[in-house]
């Protein structure tokens, strides 16, 4: 199973450059995922690359920040605003990142594509 993960363009390009090695989420995949397509949300609205999951870390926001901040690609204020009021936080550790030289239309991966708020599964 593969997934399309919606990511703000700023963070999508930080993932592709290696500056951001963790993708933070309030929820994570419930099914096993082999490959994750990075969908850069508006205004780009294209799949700009892909990665595989090295690990998923579940912790409190404070502990997660302490463990991942050096490769977070975000500021601490952004991180704690994002997880404000949450007792659980997730970090997807990315590996084998591939930046596409020509972004893909999401319809080439999912025929009936609708931009996800978080993620969608694809075959």
């Amino acid at each position: 199973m593969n997934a399309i993960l919606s990511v703000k363009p700023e963070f999508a390009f930080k993932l592709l450059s290696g500056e951001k090695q963790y993708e933070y989420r309030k929820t994570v995949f419930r099914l096993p995922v082999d490959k994750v397509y990075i969908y850069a949300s508006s205004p780009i609205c294209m799949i700009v690359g892909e990665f595989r999951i090295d690990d998923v870390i579940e912790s409190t926001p404070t502990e997660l920040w302490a463990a991942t901040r050096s490769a977070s690609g975000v500021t601490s204020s952004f991180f704690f605003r994002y997880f404000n009021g949450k007792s659980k936080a997730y970090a997807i550790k990315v590996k084998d990142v591939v930046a596409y030289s020509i972004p893909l239309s999401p319809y080439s991966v999912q025929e009936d594509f609708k931009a996800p708020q978080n993620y969608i599964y694809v075959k």
Side-chain angles (χ1 to χ4, degrees):
M1 178 82 48
N2 297 329
I4 298 174
L5 188 66
S6 187
V7 181
K8 290 183 180 181
E10 170 190 0
F11 302 127
F13 293 113
K14 285 184 177 187
L15 284 168
L16 296 174
S17 74
E19 179 183 346
K20 187 174 194 300
Q21 297 173 22
Y22 294 95
E23 177 58 22
Y24 299 108
R25 295 289 157 156
K26 295 173 188 170
T27 61
V28 289
F29 309 112
R30 287 175 266 138
L31 301 174
V33 172
D34 297 314
K35 183 189 303 182
V36 178
Y37 294 101
I38 303 168
Y39 174 75
S41 60
S42 185
I44 294 176
C45 302
M46 298 288 276
I47 295 174
V48 295
E50 64 185 62
F51 65 84
R52 297 203 180 276
I53 298 172
D54 186 25
D55 194 14
V56 177
I57 303 167
E58 176 185 336
S59 193
T60 66
T62 302
E63 290 172 351
L64 190 64
W65 179 250
T68 63
R69 69 176 166 220
S70 65
S72 68
V74 299
T75 63
S76 63
S77 61
F78 175 87
F79 178 90
F80 286 105
R81 239 186 352 265
Y82 179 70
F83 287 113
N84 185 40
K86 300 291 181 188
S87 58
K88 217 182 262 189
Y90 300 92
I92 301 169
K93 173 81 166 115
V94 305
K95 71 175 181 179
D96 302 334
V97 178
V98 176
Y100 296 162
S101 56
I102 300 172
L104 289 177
S105 164
Y107 297 97
S108 67
V109 176
Q110 179 79 20
E111 206 172 278
D112 59 345
F113 179 79
K114 290 185 177 98
Q117 287 283 31
N118 193 0
Y119 65 87
I120 55 172
Y121 295 109
V122 293
K123 293 184 180 181

